[in-house]
Amino acid sequence: MQPTGSDTSHFTLLLAAPSAVAHLAAPILADHLGITTGAALQRLTESPGPIARRLAPQPAQLLYSLLSALGLNLLLQRDDDRSPLFDLSIQPSIWVDPGRLSRRLARVLGLAAETIEVAIARPGGLMLTALPLAEAHALERRLAAIRGLIVLRFEREGAFYDLFPTRVLLSPERDALALALQAEDARPDPLTGACAAGLNEAACTRVLAAVPAAGLLALDRSIQRFDLHLVGVHGWVTGDLADFLATRTSLPRARFEVISQDDPITLDRGLTHAVLRQFCADYAAIGLQTRPCLRGLTRFPDNPTL
């Protein structure tokens, strides 16, 4: 569970592994803790361990989010000594053969290869949930030898969930969702297509309870991956555009003679949530109109609309 405003617990922020971006994170840590930048840098470059103690819930979440966004591997743990639980997301690389990968995973996880192949094709991949840290580490070590595998670990204490529709919502469902989002001071994300964005675990649970039969898909942002499609252009000469995109994508120039919403061109695959936003902004700045698609959603078995 993520810290909430009514939570009276305190939290300790722990550095799980050294980071090459400690010098970038030090000023942020210093500002939030009221210590010198030198002292903050020392905490971030020493052996893994606590870097901030006795944090109230909201400051703890804010600091966790800011430092995680820089690439630090952090844990957020309650001070009541309750051990944090972790989820593992197991996803295929974009180039891998899913059938072969599933058969290798089946030998490690003790699951049927057919079940694994269906699961890794879904948004977020195969999820192994509520694991103690030692068990999560042990699984990561066993999976590290499998090529073409992306294993992502995240702690529920620090998760930010987006909700994605898997079908067209009915009018009563849309109304109930709008009321639930208003109660949480949350909004949709027009860029990614999420119908609710940036929810902590408690808020996510409440929103899902408001529309229990709507089939909404909750995904932490750290495990989201997107494909980015080109759907339109403006301000380009056709020949110049073809030269640029042929170099960018390795597709033949003839492919770029007609670009439309109905026949989009895939520019990038497997982008993280943060990289997607940057790429969309960069493409828009040079006159390219793009449309992201949550990776796996078009193959999601429960999604009859795509």
Side-chain angles (χ1 to χ4, degrees), residues 29 144 195 209 214 222 280:
L29 182 63
C195 57
S222 68
C280 286

Side-chain angles (χ1 to χ4, degrees), residues 89-92 102 105 109 111-128 295-296 299-301:
S89 165
I90 300 174
Q91 304 182 35
S102 298
L105 278 171
L109 299 177
L111 300 173
E114 295 79 6
T115 300
I116 293 174
E117 187 167 358
V118 171
I120 63 174
R122 292 173 179 258
L126 171 64
M127 296 296 301
L128 304 177
R295 192 166 179 79
R299 299 184 299 279
F300 194 47

Side-chain angles (χ1 to χ4, degrees), residues 30-74:
D31 182 62
H32 281 74
L33 300 184
I35 60 178
T36 67
T37 302
L41 184 60
Q42 184 176 5
R43 296 188 187 191
L44 293 168
T45 52
E46 290 178 343
S47 299
I51 59 173
R53 299 180 184 271
R54 297 292 295 168
L55 297 172
Q58 293 302 330
Q61 180 58 60
L62 176 60
L63 189 56
Y64 178 95
S65 300
L66 291 172
L67 297 182
S68 295
L70 290 175
L72 267 68
N73 190 348
L74 301 172

Side-chain angles (χ1 to χ4, degrees), residues 97-111:
D97 175 73
R100 180 177 299 177
L101 178 64
S102 298
R103 290 190 291 273
R104 292 201 63 186
L105 278 171
R107 294 193 289 269
V108 175
L109 299 177
L111 300 173

Side-chain angles (χ1 to χ4, degrees), residues 215-280:
L216 298 181
L217 173 69
L219 280 183
D220 176 60
R221 286 185 180 175
S222 68
I223 66 172
Q224 295 172 21
R225 294 295 183 269
F226 295 86
D227 292 341
L228 188 58
H229 306 292
L230 178 66
V231 296
V233 299
H234 60 83
W236 280 83
V237 176
T238 302
D240 294 340
L241 175 65
D243 289 339
F244 170 75
L245 292 177
T247 301
R248 181 73 180 83
T249 65
S250 299
L251 293 173
R253 292 179 81 259
R255 178 64 182 87
F256 307 108
E257 292 178 357
V258 177
I259 299 171
S260 69
Q261 295 274 351
D262 297 329
D263 188 23
I265 295 170
T266 301
L267 292 177
D268 301 282
R269 298 182 185 273
L271 302 179
T272 66
H273 186 277
V275 171
L276 171 74
R277 291 190 175 280
Q278 185 62 57
F279 275 33
C280 286

